[in-house]
Amino acid sequence: MTKSLFIYGSCVSRDTASFMTDSGFEIAGYVARQSLVSAFGATGLSGIDLDEYAANLESNFQRSSFVGDANSSLPREIRSNFEDIDCMLVDLVDERGGVWMNERGEVLTNSLELTKSEIIKANQGSFKLLKLGDREHVDEFLKAVQKFEILIKELTLSNKIYFIANYWAEESQEGDHFPFGGSRVDPVRMNNIYAMALAVQKRF
């Protein structure tokens, strides 16, 4: 019997799902490139033509992810599919880049698609970057977690949601420690911050 799988996250969850489809799961929904802060922020962008910036992206998947992020599509997608969901696979990789937020509370996930769209470049001064671990980002993230928790429990999906815990590598294949490979990100510091994000799973 085929089981329905909903994916929220990056290629980490998508690649994991590819193994699950061999075990009788069928992908019913996939929301990518959308941080929790953006997913539960103000819906849409006032006075901005999203199609204009989506046209700068190369594929339908990139355009769909970009527009979905700007429109905070995750809650709507979950509500549309919840009755059929047998398993919900989640990873929080897209939290790593932080988010861009304006004074109206409209949020965009700091993703590669966002950069390529040039929407931030064209609206400099309107958005502020909240980096993962910054006090303001933490505050917004915790508010988003609470809203996510309420939604999951309302739709009785608590026993169907599974988080993939994926951290920064603290050592290279050659055995080198930070800094290595030209990276300016201290993996130990970032993993301590990221652990806070992953702790969301304990709420379910």
Side-chain angles (χ1 to χ4, degrees):
M1 181 178 177
T2 301
K3 295 182 179 180
S4 180
L5 175 64
F6 187 95
I7 304 169
Y8 168 48
S10 70
C11 57
V12 173
S13 287
R14 185 63 183 83
D15 290 347
T16 301
S18 66
F19 293 99
M20 296 177 69
T21 54
D22 295 334
S23 302
F25 282 92
E26 184 177 85
I27 298 175
Y30 180 27
V31 175
R33 313 292 196 270
Q34 192 170 150
S35 71
L36 276 176
V37 180
S38 178
F40 290 94
T43 303
L45 297 178
S46 305
I48 295 179
D49 183 359
L50 290 176
D51 291 336
E52 175 186 346
Y53 297 100
N56 293 329
L57 301 175
E58 300 170 0
S59 69
N60 288 334
F61 174 76
Q62 290 177 348
R63 288 187 285 272
S64 175
S65 297
F66 167 73
V67 173
D69 179 56
N71 286 323
S72 305
S73 67
L74 177 66
R76 183 170 61 255
E77 291 290 334
I78 294 175
R79 286 187 180 280
S80 296
N81 291 279
F82 83 95
E83 291 181 335
D84 299 319
I85 294 175
D86 294 304
C87 176
M88 185 173 177
L89 201 58
V90 177
D91 74 71
L92 299 174
V93 169
D94 293 322
E95 305 297 334
R96 293 183 174 187
V99 297
W100 292 88
M101 177 181 285
N102 64 21
E103 60 183 13
R104 292 186 294 273
E106 297 166 347
V107 186
L108 292 166
T109 302
N110 189 28
S111 65
L112 182 60
E113 283 80 9
L114 184 71
T115 301
K116 288 183 176 179
S117 76
E118 298 190 345
I119 190 171
I120 297 297
K121 182 179 179 180
N123 293 275
Q124 288 183 354
S126 298
F127 287 87
K128 175 184 178 182
L129 178 61
L130 310 185
K131 296 180 180 180
L132 176 68
D134 286 352
R135 183 69 259 169
E136 195 170 355
H137 178 274
V138 171
D139 290 343
E140 295 298 331
F141 178 77
L142 292 178
K143 286 190 288 187
V145 166
Q146 186 176 35
K147 293 176 182 178
F148 187 40
E149 178 185 14
I150 290 171
L151 176 64
I152 294 301
K153 290 183 176 179
E154 174 195 338
L155 301 179
T156 62
L157 293 172
S158 298
N159 63 339
K160 299 178 180 180
I161 187 169
Y162 297 88
F163 288 80
I164 299 177
N166 43 292
Y167 291 88
W168 271 266
E170 296 185 9
E171 182 179 312
S172 72
Q173 290 182 331
E174 294 73 28
D176 296 327
H177 292 268
F178 176 78
F180 58 83
S183 174
R184 293 178 294 176
V185 177
D186 181 348
V188 174
R189 175 180 178 274
M190 294 310 293
N191 281 335
N192 287 335
I193 296 172
Y194 195 49
M196 176 204 69
L198 288 172
V200 62
Q201 62 188 304
K202 296 178 181 179
R203 302 175 71 115
F204 300 96

